[in-house]
Amino acid sequence: MLYFLNEASDALFSSLTLEDELIFDKISDLIVPQLADWFAIEILDKDTQKLNLLTVAHNDPARLKIGLEFRERYPYDTMGDSGVAAVLKNGTPVLYEELTDELLKSGAKDEEHFRMLKALNFLSVIIAPLKSRNNTFGIITFVSSRESGKLYNQEDLNLIGNFANKVAIVIDNSRLYKTAQAEVAKSKRIETEILRLLEETKFKEEWLDGLIRTTPGIVWETKLNRADNSQKMTFVSKYAEEMLGYTREQLLSVDFWWSIIHPEDMKNVAANTEETLRKGAGHNQYRMIAKDGRVVWTEARSQILYDEEGNARGIRGVTFDITRMKELENRKDEFIGIASHELKTPITSAKLIVQILNKYATDLPEDHQYFIKKLDDQLDKLTLLINSMLDVNRLHEAGIPFYDEPFDLNQLVRELCDDLKIVNRNRIAIDGKIDGKLTADRERVSQVISNLLTNAIKYSEKGAPIRIVLGSSPDGVSISVKDEGVGIQEQYRDKIFERFFRVPDPQIKFTSGLGLGLNIAHQIVAHYKGKIWAESKPGKGSVFHVSLPPNLLQKA
Ligand code: ADP
């Protein structure tokens, strides 16, 4: 017996992973019929508590068939206290030296069971456990038939017990190996996935890098110190070197960015940063000093970055070089300045001539008089346009003088409304009044209100109502002009105060204008440190508000 068992274990150990499917045939050939007539290795399914055959052999195929059918019909009791169940439970092999009729009867469930057991013609049985790490996971059975007459003894029990231990080691190893292989396959899959993601991230990074590199502006990011709202540059794109001449290292060093802002724009930048922090995003124009001393006009667009708790942690933005645009703008201003100035002289003389003509007009036929009047009106309009162009330039360069004196704003508004009411048949209502006198340039304030009123008329249906509301309080003076006209879309509500900006609305395409009035009004109001803004519902109308600080008001 020892010889065959050793041969069988050698065969087993030669295939540690049990990959070779023929291995069990080899073992079975060594065992059957030399050591047993029925030999089986069975593995316990933990979930169903059923034993599944790993291999089975019998020297007589017909008997094998019966045995398998029997096994199918009467599965082993794996839960009880005797036989297979005892081996599984205790982990020790058992020997039935001789299966007597009494023994069969005691194990049989019924008469039929007994008959079939008997028909198998079994004589002697050894059942040994398959154990690994204190866990019995299957059994090995050696059965001899009555034909062979082989009776197993205690010595066989020990040998088969040892053999079972070796089989268990190999099966256990093979399982571990398979699990390990599955793990390896799994980590291989994970590794491939990681590599793929890395590749993808690398591609994205390169793509982003390329995008930032080719952006004709400085892409930057700062870290915000919330204690004092100070910022530290954490990133600047390479373009900064081209645009400003400094190295990226310089630009990233503490406070460097701040140090190259044009001194006159520092205040503006500080105020704008605060506003950006409040609003979540912002844009600003300011000057910077390049390494070679050039003044670079920049336009920055920025956005606040938030941490998980929603607190501002930094700012990210792009800064463009708009020096060329500013130069063109200056040249345009210069041209407008010169052109309007040059136009003023011939218009003044034309106006003078018309006045002389007017003097003698009483002697002229009526239609001639009408033409002279028309000419005079047109010259007035032209003068107004030229004055606007001159004003806007001079105001922009702070070259316009303001002659401040106390005056009655209520009266000024009444006069303006009366003049306009005669020319345009709009109903203009005045609500509220100012207590006290306003100390400012009457002519300039008149320009502001007159512009708001003419716009209200221009951008409304003929005859539509217009309301002007005046008020004074410790907070200052407020003037608002409300119309029921075309209104202004949200995206243009701030832009209308820019020079030459007109809303690109086909509805108002044919309304004359240069897009200067509101800019002049804005500059005049800003001169007095006041505010001007618009509220509007497109299609429903607009309200323009002006607020002036209380120091301009002298109580009556
Ligand atoms: P202008 O009227 O000469 O075009 P303004 O500077 O006075 O220039 O106004 C700028 C633009 O703002 C106008 O072209 C118009 O599109 C818009 N706007 C001004 N006032 C009103 C208003 N009351 N209702 C609707 N749109 C207005």
Side-chain angles (χ1 to χ4, degrees):
M1 174 162 276
L2 188 57
Y3 167 77
F4 287 111
L5 286 183
N6 279 345
E7 285 288 300
S9 10
D10 284 354
L12 261 178
F13 279 106
S14 71
S15 165
L16 269 177
T17 58
L18 296 183
E19 298 272 89
D20 178 4
E21 287 181 1
L22 294 175
I23 190 73
F24 290 114
D25 290 349
K26 275 190 219 160
I27 298 166
S28 303
D29 285 349
L30 283 165
I31 293 171
V32 176
Q34 291 83 329
L35 306 182
D37 299 300
W38 165 283
F39 162 70
I41 303 178
E42 296 171 67
I43 306 294
L44 186 69
D45 182 322
K46 272 214 181 98
D47 298 329
T48 60
Q49 285 297 316
K50 265 182 77 176
L51 282 163
N52 296 320
L53 275 172
L54 186 64
T55 188
V56 63
H58 198 293
N59 60 348
D60 178 353
R63 284 275 171 74
L64 179 64
K65 199 165 165 261
I66 300 171
L68 289 176
E69 274 168 15
F70 172 78
R71 202 179 160 281
E72 193 63 33
R73 189 148 162 204
Y74 296 102
Y76 289 130
D77 171 13
T78 55
M79 306 300 282
D81 291 319
S82 59
V84 170
V87 175
L88 286 172
K89 197 165 166 188
N90 306 328
T92 44
V94 291
L95 162 69
Y96 297 98
E97 272 184 48
E98 191 180 348
L99 295 175
T100 56
D101 281 1
E102 285 93 282
L103 206 59
L104 290 182
K105 245 186 200 138
S106 71
K109 288 197 175 73
D110 49 35
E111 197 55 35
E112 172 71 7
H113 191 192
F114 171 70
R115 257 194 322 104
M116 282 189 86
L117 270 173
K118 201 159 163 55
L120 290 171
N121 217 17
F122 286 163
L123 174 65
S124 190
V125 177
I126 287 178
I127 310 169
L130 292 172
K131 289 186 291 184
S132 76
R133 291 159 285 160
N134 282 338
N135 165 37
T136 304
F137 64 86
I139 52 165
I140 278 187
T141 28
F142 279 64
V143 185
S144 69
S145 66
R146 283 187 185 278
E147 282 94 354
S148 73
K150 199 189 314 289
L151 282 173
Y152 296 122
N153 56 26
Q154 202 56 43
E155 195 189 341
D156 296 332
L157 182 72
N158 290 340
L159 289 174
I160 289 171
N162 281 339
F163 175 66
N165 287 342
K166 288 176 186 162
V167 174
I169 290 172
V170 175
I171 294 178
D172 192 39
N173 262 346
S174 124
R175 283 168 158 190
L176 282 177
Y177 177 75
K178 279 191 181 131
T179 332
Q181 259 190 337
E183 288 293 322
V184 168
K186 201 168 143 199
S187 43
K188 266 253 151 55
R189 270 203 308 280
I190 294 173
E191 195 184 307
T192 324
E193 183 62 7
I194 289 174
L195 280 175
R196 196 185 61 76
L197 283 174
L198 274 177
E199 198 60 30
E200 211 169 87
T201 324
K202 207 170 135 225
F203 169 75
K204 279 196 183 141
E205 260 176 23
E206 275 172 11
W207 177 78
L208 200 65
D209 208 45
L211 199 69
I212 292 174
R213 242 186 298 124
T214 48
T215 301
I218 307 172
V219 180
W220 50 265
E221 202 172 295
T222 67
K223 189 166 173 268
L224 188 75
N225 178 354
R226 280 201 289 132
D228 57 0
N229 267 0
S230 65
Q231 292 175 69
K232 166 155 185 359
M233 274 284 171
T234 51
F235 176 82
V236 274
S237 61
K238 189 118 183 71
Y239 191 77
E241 298 183 345
E242 194 176 318
M243 190 166 130
L244 299 168
Y246 305 104
T247 63
R248 278 213 277 187
E249 286 68 39
Q250 279 178 304
L251 290 162
L252 286 172
S253 60
V254 180
D255 286 341
F256 190 82
W257 190 273
W258 187 247
S259 74
I260 55 170
I261 292 174
H262 195 290
E264 283 174 24
D265 292 343
M266 292 247 191
K267 250 173 136 174
N268 154 24
V269 174
N272 186 273
T273 307
E274 280 197 13
E275 194 179 319
T276 306
L277 281 169
R278 233 185 7 259
K279 288 189 175 165
H283 57 94
N284 193 17
Q285 293 188 351
Y286 59 92
R287 288 162 291 177
M288 296 186 88
I289 313 291
K291 194 176 176 207
D292 57 9
R294 267 177 309 125
V295 173
V296 180
W297 261 105
T298 68
E299 171 157 321
R301 300 204 159 255
S302 52
Q303 205 177 351
I304 304 295
L305 306 170
Y306 297 96
D307 61 17
E308 273 125 44
E309 277 122 46
N311 298 315
R313 64 170 173 86
I315 307 182
R316 181 184 295 152
V318 191
T319 298
F320 295 102
D321 181 348
I322 55 160
T323 317
R324 176 104 188 99
M325 195 181 90
K326 282 280 173 189
E327 269 169 21
L328 287 174
E329 226 173 73
N330 284 344
R331 241 181 264 170
K332 184 182 73 186
D333 288 350
E334 232 170 82
F335 168 76
I336 292 169
I338 295 168
S340 39
H341 196 78
E342 290 302 314
L343 280 169
K344 237 185 131 108
T345 330
I347 297 259
T348 317
S349 26
K351 182 84 185 156
L352 213 71
I353 294 165
V354 170
Q355 272 169 12
I356 297 166
L357 276 176
N358 251 332
K359 239 185 180 172
Y360 302 106
T362 39
D363 302 335
L364 290 173
E366 214 164 272
D367 54 343
H368 287 195
Q369 284 188 37
Y370 171 77
F371 286 128
I372 294 170
K373 169 86 178 68
K374 271 275 154 208
L375 186 60
D376 200 16
D377 285 352
Q378 292 304 319
L379 281 177
D380 281 347
K381 269 196 190 160
L382 208 53
T383 316
L384 214 68
L385 281 178
I386 291 166
N387 280 345
S388 298
M389 294 209 291
L390 270 177
D391 274 357
V392 86
N393 258 24
R394 278 151 64 204
L395 274 167
H396 185 58
E397 286 156 11
I400 204 164
F402 280 78
Y403 302 108
D404 294 350
E405 55 180 3
F407 67 92
D408 183 354
L409 185 62
N410 303 304
Q411 194 197 333
L412 172 68
V413 169
R414 266 197 309 277
E415 281 171 21
L416 288 171
C417 288
D418 289 345
D419 288 351
L420 286 167
K421 262 197 274 193
I422 297 165
V423 191
N424 310 279
R425 292 188 311 278
N426 292 64
R427 283 182 284 121
I428 307 181
I430 305 172
D431 268 352
K433 70 188 231 339
I434 309 287
D435 286 330
K437 293 202 161 170
L438 192 72
T439 303
D441 187 324
R442 191 177 194 272
E443 204 42 50
R444 298 290 163 206
V445 175
S446 156
Q447 230 176 323
V448 173
I449 300 170
S450 151
N451 181 260
L452 295 182
L453 286 170
T454 29
N455 278 349
I457 295 167
K458 259 183 3 187
Y459 302 109
S460 302
E461 293 275 330
K462 257 209 161 64
I466 289 157
R467 173 174 299 271
I468 174 159
V469 183
L470 303 173
S472 54
S473 73
D475 293 336
V477 172
S478 69
I479 309 155
S480 61
V481 179
K482 183 176 187 308
D483 65 54
E484 294 176 14
V486 293
I488 305 149
Q489 285 169 332
E490 168 103 50
Q491 75 256 41
Y492 302 126
R493 235 160 271 167
D494 290 332
K495 286 192 93 70
I496 51 174
F497 296 98
E498 287 173 14
R499 268 187 300 171
F500 301 109
F501 184 84
R502 306 199 71 211
V503 174
D505 181 347
Q507 245 187 305
I508 62 163
K509 211 160 79 187
F510 302 108
T511 323
S512 68
L514 290 176
L516 290 178
L518 284 181
N519 181 258
I520 293 174
H522 171 78
Q523 298 205 50
I524 294 171
V525 172
H527 170 84
Y528 290 112
K529 306 213 167 6
K531 279 195 190 118
I532 180 166
W533 70 100
E535 283 172 17
S536 180
K537 277 205 180 94
K540 292 254 164 12
S542 320
V543 191
F544 280 81
H545 300 275
V546 173
S547 79
L548 295 170
N551 61 318
L552 302 183
L553 198 64
Q554 278 184 0
K555 284 275 172 205

